[in-house]
Amino acid sequence: MNKSAAKTLIERYFRQLTDGCGNASCTNECCASSQNFEPLDKNAAAIKSLELFKNNAKLCDLHISKKDVSSASGVDRQISLEDRKGDFSDIHHLTEDNICTMLSFCEKAHDYSAAAQAIGRVFSNSETLMRSFKRDKAENTKEPQPENHSKQPEESEMGAAAFPKYDARDISDSCDVDINAVRRVFEKILSIEEIQAALVDALIFITPNLELDLEYLDVYETNHDYLNIFVIVMENTNLHSPEYLEVALPQFCKAMSKLPEEAQARLARVWSQFGLSHIRRMMETFQQLITFTVVSNEYDADDLVNDDETVVAATKCLKVVFYASILGGEIDVGHNEEEEEDYDSEELSLHELMGEERIYKRGPRVNPLETELGVRAIDSRKPLIPFEEFVNDSLNEVLEMDKDFTFFKVDGESKFSFQTCPFILSVITKNQGLYYDNRIRMYGERRLTAFYSMMQGREPTPFLELKVRRDHIIDDAMIRLEIIAMENPCDLKKQLVVEFEGEQGVDEGGISKEFFQLFLEEIFNPDIGMFRYDEDTKLFWFSPSSLENDAQFTLIGIVLGLAIYNSCILDVHFPMVVYRKLMGKKGTYQDLADLNPILFKSLRNLLDYTENVQDDLMLTFQISQTDLFGNPTLHDLKEKGDHIPVTKENRQEFVDMYADYILNKSVECQFRAFKKGFLMVTSESPMKYLYRPEEVELLICGSRKLDFYALEKTTEYDGGYNKDSQTIKDFWDIIHSFSEEKKKLFLQFTTGTDRAPVGGLGKLKMIIARNGPDTDRLPTSHTCFNALLLPEYSSKEKLREQLLKAITYAKGFGLL
């Protein structure tokens, strides 16, 4: 506990010992209101309060007298303006009516100090604030409906089944705050300077008590109305203003971050019903506090942003808004796949024997708030606020990912890691965390190999070594990987080293890149028949009638996992449903829009059809497909499906079953084997916890946008070249004039892949080094280091000619 919180708690004990709680029937012997209490002078009370603090003794709740209760029931409304004479001391809770009464009086008196004092007093006390703005029980108790503009425009275009709705009102606890009244009140009082100042002071005063109540007294467990305080305060539309950002809002966030998961989940459900503009305003409030705090401070190795209480607390509060945005949007919670198998054998027990069990934790990480809500980020089809808006660029710039990763893996109980709130991190930052995780796993496998070698007296094999023939790359790779997967799957988590037979190159990353590229080119060849290629969508999908066995698909999954594990970008073209399925979701009707737009449009038209479906369309629960050789085959979605007509009443079932067959059942064996291989490499990775499906695609495939101007800005020069060298100027003129296809060839020649890494070409860090004077030799490259060795050609024309020859005919590796 910090000094400020301890001081506040001691003061509360002191007031209890001197003034009491006001309850004439109090039985707390350490309260002045108790009949058995012996009065203490101030010195004795001060000593006693310290003793109670050390023993974490009971604190009484503030007792409201009968007079106050009658006031709370509305009696104060009967008092005329003339009788008040500016005295609102009998108001112990706030309603829209009594605030209007106060404002009317103060407006006539041209003095708002009395209203400011009364409002400030209520907002300074948790007991009075939580009883304010209660909805009349006789009124309609429904929560406010989302605003019209929060509805996604695509919904009307995609049919009734396009986005299954998740109704938060079905599972949320009711919130008895009259939220519309609160908004009307804030609209009236926030423009009054005296009241605005009183609200700021009140929030500063109340927040230490809120923090203590939640951290030490568990007040929410005994009174769920305590959540009303946070609902009311967050309706203050001025929270982002400078007068709040300095002290009041940071303290409020610290208090809110102490809410238990159950309360945070309930708050997310309540907020999810408020509509887009209100949720966005709260998101922007917390984001502004994070940005303001980050840019106002300097962080270093001894003073990390992870230790900044304000940033951490605001991030935790932003997490509640993040899930409110998910709950208020389009959610698919009913199509989760079966639990994944555990593909690890005995390796973890060895790590435990070596004292590394904290680093190599068994099982996936669990998000407690997701568990409480019963909803995961991956369940979101379209949140109210796009995911990208929750990323805070200022925070990502100062976050030291190596330290944060350590907190995430090892010191999670004592140190906060922003990876527990991955929504705030950019893909680039997450990629750094995944890189550290993969590298530590590789080093761990090397140590285990050394341990085995000493125990068994044999030569260590610290790497996953693949020796393949360029003309037999599929056969060689699959035989070797199949042996490893069967005999010692732990070896798949070693660093990959590839050798092309008959070539002299040493694999520092470049040879692996070419191996993956050549492997995929062959495996996705339609002639092999494992995948089907759609000319319209330019995407591959699993062939339901493939003649290959499950082991072949498992090995392809292994290769995909190895590429991620070894930070290699692949030129694969899968629909997004593949990545959703890898992350644990089944394919649904919505996924057909990406995989098969024509079929998706036909099914959508069926759902939207207003005439007689059965007579006009004459569909049954039997569908037609084509096999590997293009021959039509029939499949019954139901038993005797050819005798079951599709009607207006059962068309939704038909659409769901059709999509389920295409995306899941028809390729179940193939995809299960593929996913098994993928998880043999990535099962312990935090990837599933940190990434969304679209981010996994970016991680595997890289960016398709090739910005060579960004690459030019970040390229470094060596060997006598600099950015002003004539050869370099000519070089970039030539590159920018290339067609898109030639640019990809150049990128392939220099880096080993024709895709940009996560973050774009500006993150590539290419090196161009001078390789001697004018010569007839072609440019060469070290793809392992993204290095281009460029002779200083005598003319721009010769540079273009030699460069085109190099990128067009380059193949293979040799020692220079």
Side-chain angles (χ1 to χ4, degrees):
M1 182 189 305
N2 57 43
K3 292 182 179 180
S4 175
K7 179 176 178 291
T8 303
L9 188 58
I10 293 171
E11 288 175 351
R12 290 182 63 184
Y13 281 119
F14 180 80
R15 288 196 297 270
Q16 179 175 289
L17 292 169
T18 54
D19 300 334
C21 66
N23 183 4
S25 303
C26 180
T27 59
N28 185 356
E29 296 180 356
C30 296
C31 177
S33 296
S34 173
Q35 295 180 354
N36 299 326
F37 181 79
E38 296 183 5
L40 301 172
D41 59 36
K42 290 186 177 181
N43 290 334
I47 297 172
K48 184 67 173 177
S49 63
L50 287 172
E51 180 183 335
L52 295 177
F53 169 74
K54 292 179 180 179
N55 296 327
N56 196 22
K58 177 184 176 183
L59 268 172
C60 295
D61 295 327
L62 177 65
H63 182 70
I64 307 298
S65 66
K66 291 183 179 180
K67 177 183 176 182
D68 295 335
V69 173
S70 66
S71 173
S73 62
V75 173
D76 58 299
R77 300 179 194 171
Q78 310 301 323
I79 302 176
S80 67
L81 295 177
E82 291 75 14
D83 293 338
R84 284 193 178 277
K85 297 180 180 179
D87 180 15
F88 303 114
S89 59
D90 60 329
I91 293 181
H92 298 282
H93 81 302
L94 296 175
T95 66
E96 187 175 15
D97 287 346
N98 63 26
I99 286 181
C100 289
T101 299
M102 288 188 285
L103 294 180
S104 297
F105 177 87
C106 293
E107 184 178 5
K108 290 184 176 181
H110 303 289
D111 182 5
Y112 288 94
S113 58
Q117 184 178 5
I119 293 173
R121 184 178 66 252
V122 173
F123 269 82
S124 300
N125 186 288
S126 59
E127 294 288 340
T128 55
L129 184 56
M130 94 172 65
R131 292 188 297 105
S132 297
F133 304 107
K134 289 281 189 86
R135 186 186 293 109
D136 192 332
K137 293 183 179 179
E139 296 177 4
N140 186 353
T141 59
K142 285 186 178 181
E143 301 289 352
Q145 298 296 311
E147 302 162 5
N148 291 335
H149 62 267
S150 68
K151 181 179 178 181
Q152 306 298 336
E154 290 84 358
E155 182 180 355
S156 61
E157 303 173 2
M158 300 183 72
F163 293 106
K165 286 290 187 178
Y166 177 83
D167 192 351
R169 290 182 293 277
D170 291 341
I171 61 172
S172 67
D173 297 330
S174 62
C175 176
D176 59 359
V177 173
D178 188 345
I179 200 68
N180 293 317
V182 173
R183 290 170 183 167
R184 289 191 294 267
V185 164
F186 272 120
E187 188 176 359
K188 290 184 176 72
I189 66 178
L190 289 180
S191 59
I192 303 172
E193 186 176 345
E194 296 95 319
I195 298 179
Q196 171 74 301
L199 289 173
V200 175
D201 293 338
L203 193 58
I204 293 174
F205 183 85
I206 194 177
T207 46
N209 292 334
L210 296 178
E211 187 175 353
L212 290 170
D213 287 344
L214 290 167
E215 188 168 7
Y216 297 102
L217 303 181
D218 296 329
V219 292
Y220 180 79
E221 300 297 327
T222 57
N223 188 354
H224 282 199
D225 281 349
Y226 206 82
L227 201 66
N228 293 359
I229 297 171
F230 300 91
V231 174
I232 293 170
V233 171
M234 283 306 300
E235 289 304 314
N236 183 340
T237 56
N238 280 359
L239 287 177
H240 64 279
S241 59
E243 53 265 32
Y244 285 95
L245 287 176
E246 291 285 353
V247 179
L249 186 57
Q251 289 188 357
F252 177 76
C253 288
K254 292 174 188 177
M256 181 175 161
S257 67
K258 304 295 183 184
L259 285 169
E261 266 76 25
E262 178 190 354
Q264 293 182 28
R266 182 182 166 212
L267 191 58
R269 295 186 190 113
V270 171
W271 281 347
S272 71
Q273 303 164 43
F274 285 0
L276 174 60
S277 64
H278 297 285
I279 296 177
R280 184 184 294 279
R281 174 182 54 78
M282 289 186 281
M283 182 272 291
E284 291 174 348
T285 296
F286 293 128
Q287 286 281 39
Q288 190 162 349
L289 177 58
I290 294 171
T291 301
F292 173 79
T293 307
V294 168
V295 300
S296 302
N297 293 279
E298 294 184 2
Y299 303 99
D300 53 37
D302 298 322
D303 186 15
L304 299 171
V305 68
N306 304 71
D307 298 321
D308 192 315
E309 292 183 350
T310 298
V311 176
V312 170
T315 301
K316 292 179 179 179
C317 295
L318 186 63
K319 185 176 185 178
V320 180
V321 182
F322 174 76
Y323 283 99
S325 172
I326 287 177
L327 293 173
E330 317 293 354
I331 293 189
D332 172 18
V333 294
H335 301 93
N336 296 332
E337 292 188 337
E338 66 279 357
E339 291 296 321
E340 295 160 1
E341 301 176 35
D342 183 5
Y343 299 107
D344 293 323
S345 55
E346 57 188 56
E347 73 164 308
L348 282 182
S349 62
L350 287 173
H351 282 301
E352 290 168 355
L353 289 173
M354 297 175 72
E356 299 170 341
E357 66 276 5
R358 291 192 302 166
I359 299 177
Y360 302 101
K361 294 179 181 178
R362 182 185 295 273
R365 181 177 286 267
V366 176
N367 186 325
L369 186 54
E370 287 189 344
T371 302
E372 189 70 38
L373 286 169
V375 171
R376 302 173 300 167
I378 193 179
D379 295 326
S380 177
R381 285 286 185 176
K382 187 179 286 294
L384 283 181
I385 301 174
F387 290 116
E388 294 76 17
E389 294 190 30
F390 284 92
V391 176
N392 189 289
D393 294 331
S394 298
L395 172 64
N396 281 267
E397 288 176 3
V398 300
L399 182 61
E400 295 193 24
M401 203 57 187
D402 55 342
K403 304 289 195 310
D404 191 88
F405 173 78
T406 302
F407 303 153
F408 182 67
K409 295 292 288 187
V410 181
D411 298 326
E413 296 179 1
S414 59
K415 286 283 192 177
F416 177 79
S417 167
F418 287 95
Q419 289 182 82
T420 60
C421 297
F423 58 85
I424 203 171
L425 302 178
S426 67
V427 182
I428 299 173
T429 305
K430 293 178 186 179
N431 197 39
Q432 292 175 356
L434 187 62
Y435 175 82
Y436 290 132
D437 187 86
N438 292 342
R439 290 295 162 177
I440 288 177
R441 168 63 61 183
M442 290 177 183
Y443 298 150
E445 295 303 327
R446 289 186 190 178
R447 296 174 65 226
L448 283 180
T449 298
F451 176 77
Y452 272 128
S453 300
M454 288 188 297
M455 297 296 293
Q456 300 176 1
R458 58 183 175 85
E459 189 72 20
T461 54
F463 300 103
L464 171 58
E465 298 176 350
L466 282 183
K467 186 173 183 179
V468 296
R469 293 168 293 175
R470 192 175 285 273
D471 296 334
H472 298 81
I473 192 169
I474 296 294
D475 295 336
D476 293 350
M478 286 194 165
I479 291 172
R480 175 64 176 151
L481 289 175
E482 186 172 15
I483 293 174
I484 294 172
M486 294 175 60
E487 295 183 353
N488 194 10
C490 298
D491 284 352
L492 295 173
K493 295 174 182 177
K494 295 177 180 179
Q495 183 176 351
L496 177 66
V497 174
V498 177
E499 177 185 350
F500 284 107
E501 190 173 295
E503 299 182 20
Q504 298 173 309
V506 178
D507 191 6
E508 294 288 346
I511 300 179
S512 297
K513 292 178 185 178
E514 184 171 13
F515 160 74
F516 285 121
Q517 190 74 21
L518 296 176
F519 181 91
L520 292 173
E521 285 178 4
E522 292 199 30
I523 207 69
F524 283 106
N525 188 333
D527 294 338
I528 295 181
M530 297 182 70
F531 296 92
R532 290 181 175 178
Y533 182 69
D534 190 300
E535 291 289 349
D536 295 325
T537 63
K538 310 298 182 184
L539 298 173
F540 287 95
W541 181 245
F542 298 84
S543 175
S545 55
S546 172
L547 301 179
E548 303 293 337
N549 56 39
D550 292 353
Q552 302 294 82
F553 285 97
T554 299
L555 293 174
I556 297 172
I558 289 175
V559 170
L560 196 68
L562 286 174
I564 293 179
Y565 194 58
N566 290 271
S567 304
C568 289
I569 295 173
L570 303 181
D571 184 20
V572 295
H573 303 270
F574 281 134
M576 187 58 63
V577 65
V578 170
Y579 304 104
R580 287 180 57 80
K581 286 167 71 70
L582 285 175
M583 300 288 277
K585 297 291 291 185
K586 288 186 177 180
T588 63
Y589 161 71
Q590 299 94 302
D591 296 305
L592 288 174
D594 186 25
L595 175 64
N596 193 333
I598 296 176
L599 175 60
F600 173 78
K601 186 176 181 180
S602 298
L603 294 177
R604 185 182 67 189
N605 291 338
L606 170 61
L607 293 172
D608 293 339
Y609 196 71
T610 57
E611 304 299 326
N612 190 309
V613 173
Q614 181 174 349
D615 294 343
D616 294 351
L617 303 181
M618 301 180 64
L619 297 171
T620 67
F621 276 74
Q622 185 181 74
I623 61 175
S624 175
Q625 296 288 293
T626 58
D627 61 18
L628 185 62
F629 306 102
N631 301 318
T633 60
L634 299 176
H635 174 77
D636 288 340
L637 298 177
K638 283 185 172 183
E639 186 176 355
K640 297 182 180 179
D642 58 327
H643 293 96
I644 303 175
V646 177
T647 65
K648 190 172 184 179
E649 290 72 27
N650 67 14
R651 60 181 172 179
Q652 181 65 66
E653 181 186 14
F654 172 79
V655 168
D656 291 340
M657 294 186 73
Y658 199 152
D660 184 51
Y661 175 76
I662 296 295
L663 299 172
N664 303 310
K665 291 182 178 179
S666 67
V667 295
E668 184 175 4
C669 294
Q670 294 91 328
F671 191 85
R672 185 190 296 119
F674 172 76
K675 184 177 180 180
K676 176 183 177 181
F678 181 77
L679 292 176
M680 289 178 73
V681 184
T682 64
S683 60
E684 292 177 341
S685 168
M687 181 181 65
K688 186 174 180 180
Y689 178 88
L690 296 175
Y691 290 83
R692 302 188 307 275
E694 57 270 24
E695 293 176 324
V696 174
E697 181 191 34
L698 187 61
L699 181 68
I700 295 174
C701 305
S703 174
R704 299 179 184 178
K705 182 180 179 181
L706 302 180
D707 185 355
F708 276 82
Y709 289 100
L711 178 62
E712 181 180 359
K713 290 179 181 179
T714 58
T715 295
E716 298 177 357
Y717 304 97
D718 196 11
Y721 281 150
N722 59 58
K723 65 178 182 178
D724 296 320
S725 300
Q726 187 59 47
T727 301
I728 296 301
K729 290 180 179 180
D730 292 342
F731 169 81
W732 286 115
D733 286 343
I734 293 168
I735 291 296
H736 294 315
S737 69
F738 276 174
S739 65
E740 195 70 16
E741 190 60 34
K742 285 186 173 62
K743 286 179 179 179
K744 288 184 178 181
L745 287 175
F746 168 76
L747 206 58
Q748 180 75 47
F749 172 75
T750 310
T751 69
T753 177
D754 63 358
R755 294 291 186 93
V758 175
L761 287 181
K763 299 294 181 180
L764 193 58
K765 302 299 181 185
M766 188 175 74
I767 299 173
I768 301 179
R770 184 176 182 274
N771 193 24
D774 184 33
T775 179
D776 289 333
R777 289 187 294 122
L778 298 177
T780 55
S781 66
H782 293 305
T783 55
C784 307
F785 309 105
N786 303 327
L788 175 66
L789 306 181
L790 187 67
E792 193 171 3
Y793 295 112
S794 57
S795 67
K796 185 175 182 179
E797 291 71 23
K798 186 173 183 179
L799 171 59
R800 176 190 294 272
E801 180 183 353
Q802 298 294 80
L803 187 60
L804 282 173
K805 287 180 181 179
I807 66 176
T808 304
Y809 303 111
K811 188 176 183 181
F813 291 82
L815 296 176
L816 297 179

